[in-house]
Amino acid sequence: MVLEIEEKVIEAKKASIILASVSTETKNAALEAMAQALNDNRDKILEANRKDVETAEKLKRKGELSQALVDRLKVNDSKISGMIDGIRDVINLEDPVGETIDALELDKGLELYKVSSPIGLIGVIFEARPDVVPQVMALCLKSGNATIFKGGSEALNSNRVIFDLLNEAAESVKRMTTGAFQLMETREEVNDILRLDTYIDLLIPRGSNVFVKYMQDNTKIPVLGHADGICHVYVDDEADFGKAYNVCFDSKVQYPAVCNAMETLLINENIAEKFLPKMARMYDEAGVEMRCDDGSFKILEQIDFLKSIVRATEDDWRTEYNDLTLSIKIVTSMEEAIEHINHYGSHHTDAIITCNDLKKKRFTDLVDSSSVMLNASTRFADGFRYGKGAEVGISTNKIHARGPVGMEGLLIYKYILVGNGDMVADYAGPDAKKFTHRRLNKTASNALSR
């Protein structure tokens, strides 16, 4: 089994070299073929997903799968349309491969170019979400990166059908390289992939915090991602209540099973008694369980018809529920809210609701998160919504890429030095030539054709 896995990885690694030089026209044609394949095979995808969901529901009843995981697994016609739109959005993005980032004259006739290039071979290991396959394959193809996919067993049928449709469509395009995309399916393959640091250049995990943390702790391969999505909304004492109700409701209820959903609501003590009762009624009607600190519990226990308020524990501030559960805390000031967010949060996405411009700036300056929202839902933290076409994941890393990662996070760069028989010896010793180090308004492609 290990040899078979390694053979697939080696094939993809070799293909990554060729894929890096495939033309924009060929890549876009492959992407359009992929989008069309999904559109032409909707029934096939839905049937495969139905089998996975039936199995997952049985496992959920046994307590072996969470409701959040089952929700992530489900594919419907609208989600397929979203996959198609995502691929076509990537077609419309500029091809970033080979772009000149910087150009510098070292001396007359000796020019240095910094040029964007693919990372190489990327391993994507994910739980439940079949829509990860088209999102990531589209971005990796356009950015010239070969990809190994390893999905969770709960989405086996969906992943296989979607991957096969996309891969066959892409490889059917003339001048498109083959073997660049590979699908792994067995549980044992995860640990085998983690050991293949000789070939795989970057790992992108998509799943629960336990799942991502396991990846980070068990491989030498660089890992891009986030272990937790503990997101906050702080309602300031100078907030517009109408905006606050909308943002707080959307951040929790619109789709609670994802990493950019709010998990903790922070409310300034000066407006808590006015703001919280109506907010709590909205949550209660939507089926949200509210885990309250002493201050918020004292306010809400007086409302007789609320069905789902309990006292919060210390663990609640560190918990990513991925469900209709919310922790609520009353704070004395914005500074206390910021301290709470930076201490308990996961540096993912956090929001403030306020009309005070000075507080907006201070909040964005001091909250150490990859996305900070002003009077807007945390659910906007998404590659598609950020105009990236799609995303390979959301990163809370502080090197390489941060926040929703689109194609720019799948690129590195190389230096190209264009000379004419130049030698370092000429720039050493008592009669050394001097470097000019002058910025150039030129591209590497023009220099290479001279």
Side-chain angles (χ1 to χ4, degrees), residues 324-345:
L324 287 173
T325 304
L326 177 70
S327 55
I328 302 174
K329 182 177 182 178
I330 294 176
V331 295
T332 59
S333 63
M334 183 182 71
E335 285 69 29
E336 184 184 346
I338 292 169
E339 183 178 347
H340 181 100
I341 291 167
N342 287 337
H343 180 71
Y344 291 103

Side-chain angles (χ1 to χ4, degrees), residues 85-382:
D85 290 343
I87 292 173
R88 287 184 169 143
D89 282 340
V90 173
I91 293 174
N92 293 327
L93 294 176
E94 291 290 326
D95 189 340
V97 180
E99 286 188 357
T100 299
I101 301 169
D102 195 15
L104 185 71
E105 178 192 84
L106 302 190
D107 197 1
K108 187 172 178 60
L110 185 61
E111 298 171 354
L112 180 66
Y113 295 88
K114 183 179 180 181
V115 177
S116 62
S117 61
I119 289 172
L121 177 57
I122 294 172
V124 179
I125 304 176
F126 58 101
E127 290 179 315
R129 297 268 296 271
D131 55 336
V132 166
V133 179
Q135 283 181 8
V136 174
M137 189 182 289
L139 287 169
C140 285
L141 191 155
K142 187 72 177 264
S143 60
N145 291 284
T147 314
I148 300 290
F149 291 92
K150 171 64 183 82
S153 58
E154 67 282 346
L156 178 67
N157 295 294
S158 306
N159 290 338
R160 182 183 295 161
V161 166
I162 293 171
F163 176 84
D164 286 345
L165 287 170
L166 295 174
N167 194 49
E168 289 169 12
E171 291 189 351
S172 71
V173 173
K174 190 176 180 180
R175 290 185 292 276
M176 184 63 194
T177 186
T178 59
F181 301 104
Q182 303 283 346
L183 178 67
M184 310 292 189
E185 294 186 324
T186 67
R187 185 179 297 276
E188 293 75 18
E189 288 172 330
V190 172
N191 286 325
D192 294 330
I193 289 170
L194 296 182
R195 289 193 287 268
L196 294 174
D197 53 285
T198 302
Y199 308 108
I200 299 174
D201 300 296
L202 179 69
L203 276 180
I204 301 175
R206 298 277 296 267
S208 68
N209 54 343
V210 174
F211 176 78
V212 176
K213 190 73 167 61
Y214 180 82
M215 303 294 154
Q216 294 170 332
D217 293 343
N218 288 276
T219 187
K220 295 179 182 177
I221 304 168
V223 176
L224 186 151
H226 66 281
D228 300 289
I230 302 173
C231 304
H232 304 75
V233 176
Y234 165 60
V235 182
D236 184 52
D237 57 355
E238 297 183 74
D240 178 305
F241 278 21
K243 293 176 183 177
Y245 291 133
N246 288 339
V247 170
C248 293
F249 190 82
D250 188 81
S251 294
K252 178 74 261 182
V253 177
Q254 195 270 334
Y255 190 17
V258 287
C259 61
N260 58 14
M262 172 179 57
E263 305 295 12
T264 299
L265 173 61
L266 303 171
I267 306 169
N268 189 286
E269 65 178 4
N270 295 329
I271 51 102
E273 291 188 4
K274 294 180 180 179
F275 174 77
L276 187 53
K278 179 179 176 179
M279 190 75 254
R281 291 188 190 98
M282 292 170 66
Y283 284 141
D284 195 65
E285 290 172 5
V288 177
E289 178 186 295
M290 289 165 277
R291 300 186 179 183
C292 306
D293 74 336
D294 290 341
S296 58
F297 190 87
K298 185 177 180 181
I299 294 171
L300 296 183
E301 70 177 341
Q302 302 175 42
I303 304 176
D304 293 335
F305 58 82
L306 288 180
K307 301 183 290 293
S308 52
I309 61 166
V310 297
R311 290 189 181 274
T313 67
E314 178 69 15
D315 287 342
D316 283 307
W317 312 128
R318 296 187 173 90
T319 300
E320 180 181 13
Y321 304 110
N322 286 137
D323 204 347
L324 287 173
T325 304
L326 177 70
S327 55
I328 302 174
K329 182 177 182 178
I330 294 176
V331 295
T332 59
S333 63
M334 183 182 71
E335 285 69 29
E336 184 184 346
I338 292 169
E339 183 178 347
H340 181 100
I341 291 167
N342 287 337
H343 180 71
Y344 291 103
S346 57
H347 312 292
H348 190 298
T349 303
D350 298 288
I352 183 173
I353 314 300
T354 187
C355 296
N356 186 304
D357 290 341
L358 291 176
K359 288 181 179 178
K360 291 176 188 176
K361 184 176 188 311
R362 187 159 180 78
F363 190 86
T364 57
D365 286 345
L366 296 181
V367 168
D368 184 22
S369 298
S370 64
S371 287
V372 181
M373 312 311 206
L374 305 177
N375 298 321
S377 171
T378 60
R379 289 281 292 113
F380 281 106
D382 172 84

